[in-house]
């Protein structure tokens, strides 16, 4: 009947030395005990209210007992609410987690820090009814929305003669305006000064800047498009962006869509900087880093951010009509998004792309010194991207490189391969003729891909991975590494991979592709394909421990 | 007893005669009858209540919409009485099931009562528990319109006679006209100890809610109007104070004229003439002080003048600036805080029985702080203290032996009052940082202590269900106000010092005449314990806040609630009126300071006063959230700057 069962009463009776309490007495006592308990708890709640708290503490119970002239229960006083633990196996049995403390430990322990003394600080909660945006006040975002709602329905149920003010969209305090102007001036005029560094620090740390974020995002977008030729300003703008992104008090997510275009512009713009000698590579790198940090932080909240970004970048990357600088930016951007993006989007296209890139890098084919340098840059970035991807693979699946039965064979192969790259590049093949003239490769029919069927089967399988239809047949070719039997197969691969404008089909098949890659995690084969493209440069990405397998 | 004796006699007779079989048969029969009877009786009674109530309930829920609300009001008292009747007759088990079956219906409105009543488990508890005893003794009053009453009567007589006994516990006040709708639920049934009749009787008494004559404010006006050589009448219109008074009182014409006349009258008149004026409802009437207050030192008066001159005008468009005092590192120990009128002194009462006072002017200037301490060095025993205090940014006032539940500054911040759970109130000098007097008289923890607006007197509220009025120079209380049925939780002075108001755990607010010590008004309407009170500067309205976050505005003269509003999500710790009475500020445990528009709601009240329905609502002007800092204390300075104080809660 009562919440307190009579068994409890019996147990308590036993504990205070009444061994045989008759069940009737226990039954009669139980409701009364519950009543008294409730009474005392109600008194305790009173004490809690007068201590201006909303959480009941052991002290309140003690005061309540005091009010009733009952001895308080000693030993439970604490500043914090008690931490109860649920007993395992019971739904509603709780106990206090009271650990046994070793006396020695307590004695040996260093003295705890003296608690800070109570202090009073003042701040303005409101100035003429408006809350200033200072750290002491809660962020404005939290306030605005609910308040609007309240005002709205207040207006409705309120028939009073109300002098309603029209809602003002955005009020910027004078201080903030000044701050904004100052930052803008610093960016445009003196981006190299120490003052600017301070400003960046302030942007990254200060709270209360939130109202300025829309202004900043607009400002940055505006200035980036206007100052594409001025590297230092671009750099300053990107730094400001970085600071804003790192500010913990700013809720920047809603503005990302405004900021991304300017970052991507910096990343893949055709020309950045005034002179060719300007170090526009640095700003591309910086932008790539920003992109990656944004994706890491907001990728999961802003659901199509990553896909949109990669689509933009891959478009830039796969369009041979774009300048090499743009390709460079795209590769940097993609590789900044992580090894899996590289694996899924760059590696399948690597083959084809190298065909495009190769002639640009050769002294005899590309006379323009600058162009050649650019090409080498792109080559470097590709190597870095592919290499880090490889490194990542190896790290994830350390065992992959050493399947014992195939290994010696493979190693031989690799060593043999190391001598090949030079031939490879120069070799031209008749197999080109198999290939239908697609619009992409027709531009540059150097036929660098000709060596695939003739030299090594595994190498081609990287490109074959891009074609899900042929994937399984290739697995077998990986396993026995029989180069001979795959000529037709690879051929179709090449056709498929390079033809069809590459992108559309690949995108459509990407789901299948991902699945395929998951199955095919043969890093060795990845390595060999990379090696075929980059030569020994790839080895620098392999940890020495793994290296010995190949040499 | 007699029956048993007879039975025994019969049994012994049968035994004596050796009629074994008959004896057995008789015994068997008897036991069967008795068990049957008791069983069926208990079944009957419990079922009767259960059936009766559920029939009444379904009838009420299915009634016509226009009467539904009124009829539903009847359910709650019936429910409570059914439950208590069952308990009283000893059907514990049945009472429990009954309670839990229908509890949900009433949870929204009467959660606190239900929580209390739930604990009743035996007839003796009914006697013991105040709430139960009183609600059994007194009849609840419910207002019904004629037709609903007729409907109810018909239903009871035809279908539900069982409930008649219970229904008779309710005192129906039948009013002609339309049934009331849900919107005016301020008068909905509240189970309070005091009967509404008593309240009505008390609230018939006359009340002089006017301001004190010859106050500084008045003199200020006078001085200003004298300094202008023009006609007094025309001039007074120009003073914002006057205008505001006019606003609140809604008297459109002849303000200054009647005021002037009244002043002349009041000066020479006895209390009666002022009384008659009050009842006429004229503009902020002036009343004579019934307490002899201390003389103001001239420099204090000067500063008051200065403040009045520089006062910022507040209204719904011009909101105040709020300065927030945050207590850090309190480790849940801060129980209360107080701010002096100019914000220069802040005091906190702690659960470790200490009182700490900060001089905000001295913070950041340690040199000066130690200098001023030097003066006290001459006092005996102060040397060590002084050296100690040089390190501390505050003055530590130790003396209580239990948690300190309230602190209050005297009007000129020269004294500090603290009340504690050790049943005492202590008076401290803020200049000497020393305890001057310890007032003993309460028998239980003193929840609240407040200095009167003129100083010298103070009022206290205690767990012993009394409020007391003291003067600082006597260690015995001058008045003991008894009448509340539970703890007196908060106390506040009326601006004219002739009254105090107290809020209690019995969910009522009472207004007491300081001179006679009698209860002059009883305000019924809160649903949980009253935690905070404030009276408008013109002395006409009072605001009270409770545990659930409700804020109710009351008209002191009628004793009616003007606008109940769910102001906060949690306990309303503090309320404050701006100096002209145009704004009300409320601070709560939900970490908000809210500003309410008093003027417009009261204006609206004036215009449709004839309808006599509390229809107006306080309008929320601004909600100012703090950073996880519950607001313990609010105070408007004389220049209308709002000070707020609270302790940063440990969670952040």
């Amino acid at each position: 009947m009562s919440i307190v069962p009579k068994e409890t009463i019996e147990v308590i009776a036993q504990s205070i030395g009444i061994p045989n309490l008759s069940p009737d007495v226990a039954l009669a006592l139980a409701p009364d005990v519950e009543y008294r308990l409730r009474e005392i708890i109600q008194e305790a709640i009173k004490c809690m209210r007068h201590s201006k708290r909303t959480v009941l503490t052991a002290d309140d119970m003690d005061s309540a007992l005091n009010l009733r002239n009952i001895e308080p229960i000693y030993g439970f006083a604490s500043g914090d609410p008690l931490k109860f633990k649920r007993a395992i196996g019971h739904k509603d049995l709780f106990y206090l987690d009271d650990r046994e403390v070793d006396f020695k430990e307590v004695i040996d322990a260093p003295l705890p820090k003296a608690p800070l003394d109570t202090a009073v600080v003042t701040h303005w909660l409101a100035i003429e009814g408006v809350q200033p945006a200072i750290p002491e006040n809660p962020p404005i975002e939290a306030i605005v929305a609910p308040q609007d709602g309240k005002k709205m329905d207040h207006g409705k149920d309120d028939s009073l003669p109300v002098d309603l003010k029209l809602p003002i969209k955005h009020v910027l305090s004078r201080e903030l305006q000044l701050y904004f102007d100052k930052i803008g001036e610093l960016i445009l005029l003196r981006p190299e000064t120490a003052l600017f560094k301070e400003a960046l620090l302030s942007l990254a740390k200060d709270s209360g800047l939130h109202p300025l974020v829309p202004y900043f995002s607009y400002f940055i977008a505006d200035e980036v498009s206007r100052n594409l030729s001025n590297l230092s300003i671009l750099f300053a703008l990107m730094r400001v962006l970085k600071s804003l992104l790192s500010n913990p008090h700013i809720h920047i997510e809603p503005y990302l869509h405004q900021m991304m275009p300017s970052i991507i512009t910096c990343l893949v713009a055709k020309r950045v900087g005034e002179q060719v000698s300007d170090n526009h590579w640095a700003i591309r790198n910086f932008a790539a880093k920003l992109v990656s940090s944004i994706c890491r932080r907001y990728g999961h909240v802003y659901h199509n951010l990553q896909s949109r970004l990669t689509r933009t970048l891959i478009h830039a990357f796969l369009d041979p009509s774009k300048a090499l600088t743009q390709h460079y930016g795209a590769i940097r951007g993609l590789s900044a998004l992580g090894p899996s993006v590289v694996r899924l989007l760059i590696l399948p296209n690597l083959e084809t792309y190298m065909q495009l890139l190769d002639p640009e890098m050769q002294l005899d084919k590309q006379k323009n010194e600058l162009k050649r340098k650019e090409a080498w840059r792109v080559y470097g970035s590709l190597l870095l991207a592919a290499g880090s991807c490889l490194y990542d693979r190896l790290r994830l699946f350390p065992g992959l490189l050493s399947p014992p039965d195939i290994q010696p064979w493979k190693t031989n192969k690799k060593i043999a391969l190391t001598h090949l790259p030079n031939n490879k590049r120069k070799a031209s093949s008749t197999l080109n003729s198999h290939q239908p003239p697609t619009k992409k490769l027709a531009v540059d029919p150097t036929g660098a891909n000709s060596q695939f069927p003739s030299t090594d089967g595994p190498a081609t399988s990287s490109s074959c991975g891009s074609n899900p239809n042929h994937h399984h047949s290739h697995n077998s070719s990986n396993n026995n590494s029989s180069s001979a039997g795959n000529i037709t197969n690879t051929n179709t691969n090449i056709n498929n991979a390079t033809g069809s404008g590459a992108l559309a089909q690949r995108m459509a098949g990407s789901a299948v592709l991902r699945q395929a890659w998951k199955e095919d995690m043969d890093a060795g084969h990845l390595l060999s394909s990379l090696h075929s493209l980059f030569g020994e440069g790839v080895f620098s990405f392999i940890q020495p421990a793994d290296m010995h397998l190949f040499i | 007893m007699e029956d048993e004796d007879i039975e025994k006699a019969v049994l012994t007779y049968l035994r004596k005669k050796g009629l074994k079989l008959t004896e057995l048969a008789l015994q068997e029969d008897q036991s069967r009858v008795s068990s049957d009877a008791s069983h069926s009786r208990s079944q009957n009674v419990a079922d009767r209540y259960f059936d009766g109530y559920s029939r009444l309930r379904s009838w009420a829920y299915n009634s016509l919409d226009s009467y539904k609300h009124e009829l539903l009001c009847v359910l709650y008292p019936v429910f409570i009485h059914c439950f208590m009747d069952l308990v009283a007759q000893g059907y514990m088990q049945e009472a429990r099931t009954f309670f839990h079956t229908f509890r949900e219906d009433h949870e929204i409105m009467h959660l606190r009562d239900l929580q209390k009543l739930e604990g009743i488990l035996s007839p003796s508890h009914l006697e013991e528990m105040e709430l139960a005893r009183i609600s059994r003794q007194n009849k609840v009053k419910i207002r019904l319109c004629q037709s609903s009453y007729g409907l109810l009567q018909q239903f009871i007589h035809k279908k539900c006679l069982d409930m008649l006994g219970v229904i008779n516990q309710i005192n129906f006040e039948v009013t002609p006209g339309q049934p009331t709708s849900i919107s005016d639920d301020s008068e909905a049934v509240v189970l309070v100890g005091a009967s509404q009749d008593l309240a009505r009787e008390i609230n018939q008494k006359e009340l002089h809610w006017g301001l004190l004559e010859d106050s500084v404010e008045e003199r200020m006006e006078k001085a200003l109007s004298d300094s202008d050589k023009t006609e007094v009448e025309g001039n007074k219109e120009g003073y914002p104070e006057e205008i505001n008074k006019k606003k609140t009182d809604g008297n459109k014409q002849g303000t200054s004229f009647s005021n002037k006349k009244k002043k002349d009258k009041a000066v020479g008149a006895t209390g009666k003439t002022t009384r008659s004026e009050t009842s006429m409802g004229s503009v902020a009437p002036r009343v004579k002080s019934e307490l002899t207050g201390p003389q103001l030192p001239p420099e204090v008066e000067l500063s008051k003048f200065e403040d009045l001159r520089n006062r910022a005008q507040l209204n719904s468009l011009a909101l105040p600036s709020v300065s927030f005092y945050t207590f850090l590192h309190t480790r849940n120990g801060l129980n209360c805080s107080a701010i002096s009128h100019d914000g220069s002194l802040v005091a906190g009462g702690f659960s470790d029985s200490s009182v700490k006072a900060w001089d905000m002017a001295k913070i950041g200037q340690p040199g000066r702080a130690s200098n001023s301490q030097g003066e006290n060095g001459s006092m005996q025993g102060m040397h060590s203290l002084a050296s100690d205090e040089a390190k501390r940014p505050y003055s530590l006032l130790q003396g209580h032996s239990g948690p300190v539940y309230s602190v209050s500054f005297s009007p000129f911040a020269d004294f500090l009052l603290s009340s504690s759970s050790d049943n005492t109130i202590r008076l401290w000098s803020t200049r000497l940082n020393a305890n001057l007097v310890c007032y003993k008289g309460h028998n239980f923890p003193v929840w609240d202590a407040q200095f009167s607006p003129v100083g010298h007197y103070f009022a206290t509220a205690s767990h012993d269900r009394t409020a007391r009025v003291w003067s600082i120079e006597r260690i015995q209380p001058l008045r003991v106000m008894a009448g509340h049925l539970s703890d007196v939780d908060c106390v506040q002075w009326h601006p004219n010092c002739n009254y105090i108001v107290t809020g209690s755990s019995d969910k009522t607010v009472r207004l007491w005449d300081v001179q006679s010590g009698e209860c002059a008004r009883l305000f019924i309407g809160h649903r949980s314990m009253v935690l905070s009170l404030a009276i408008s500067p013109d002395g006409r309205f009072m605001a009270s806040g409770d545990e659930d976050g409700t804020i109710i505005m009351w008209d002191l003269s009628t004793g009616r609630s003007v606008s109940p509003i769910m102001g906060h999500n949690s306990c309303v710790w503090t309320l404050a009126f701006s100096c002209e009475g145009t704004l009300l500020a409320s601070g709560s445990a939900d970490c908000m300071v809210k500003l309410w528009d008093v003027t417009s709601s009261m204006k609206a009240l004036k215009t449709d006063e004839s309808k006599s329905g509390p229809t107006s609502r306080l309008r929320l002007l601004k909600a100012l959230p703090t950073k996880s800092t519950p607001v313990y204390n609010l105070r408007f300075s004389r220049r209308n700057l709002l000070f707020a104080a609270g302790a940063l809660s440990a969670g952040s």
Side-chain angles (χ1 to χ4, degrees), chain B residues 525-546:
Chain B
H526 277 289
R527 298 231 167 85
S528 53
M529 78 193 256
V530 182
L531 289 170
S532 51
L533 293 166
I535 297 185
S536 69
D538 64 1
R540 188 175 164 190
F541 295 106
M542 174 181 71
S544 58
D546 72 13

Side-chain angles (χ1 to χ4, degrees), chain A residues 1-3 30-36 38-39 42-43 45-54 57 59-60 63 66-69 79-81 115-131 134-139 143 147 150-151 154 157-158 160-165 249, chain B residues 92-93 96 112 115-116 118-121 125 128-129 316-317 319-332 334-335 350 356 358 360 363 392 394 405 444-445 447 463 486-487 489 505 529 531 547 570-571 573 589 593-594 600-601 604 617-627 632 641:
Chain A
M1 183 169 79
S2 91
I3 293 172
D32 204 53
V33 167
E34 185 192 333
Y35 178 75
R36 303 291 153 198
R38 281 174 186 277
E39 239 180 10
Q42 271 162 20
E43 293 287 300
I45 288 173
K46 263 183 211 167
C47 295
M48 169 185 86
R49 293 291 182 223
H50 284 288
S51 302
K52 301 246 184 345
R53 270 184 280 110
T54 45
T57 64
D59 292 335
D60 294 325
S63 330
N66 261 331
L67 285 181
R68 304 240 142 191
N69 263 330
D80 307 316
L116 289 168
D117 201 358
T118 315
V120 174
V121 293
T122 58
H123 73 270
W124 289 106
L125 184 67
I127 295 170
E128 295 185 347
V130 180
Q131 273 195 298
I134 46 174
E136 287 88 347
N137 284 332
I143 315 162
Q147 206 190 12
K150 255 180 214 162
K151 254 194 183 150
H154 217 85
D157 64 16
D158 199 338
L160 303 173
V162 188
D163 25 18
L164 266 183
K165 266 199 276 185
H249 305 287
Chain B
M92 304 313 310
Q93 192 62 55
R96 272 258 152 149
R112 311 247 171 214
Q115 279 170 350
K116 265 190 191 157
E118 197 181 6
I120 299 176
L121 289 166
H125 295 161
E128 215 167 306
M129 187 189 279
S316 55
L317 296 174
L319 297 177
S321 298
V322 188
S323 173
F324 202 98
Y325 295 85
T326 313
F327 288 79
L328 305 174
H329 316 301
T330 56
R331 285 169 285 277
N332 277 333
L334 185 72
N335 288 349
F350 290 80
K356 295 170 185 172
W358 281 262
M360 297 316 282
I363 284 182
R392 264 195 231 114
Y394 55 84
Y405 286 122
F444 276 106
W447 296 134
H463 178 71
S486 187
D487 305 32
D489 293 303
S505 291
M529 78 193 256
L531 289 170
E547 209 181 355
S570 189
C571 311
W573 295 136
V593 175
K594 286 187 177 174
S600 64
S601 21
R617 289 268 186 277
L618 278 179
R619 187 158 71 98
L620 178 67
L621 289 176
K622 189 89 187 170
L624 303 165
T626 65
K627 228 177 185 178
Y632 288 1
L641 180 64

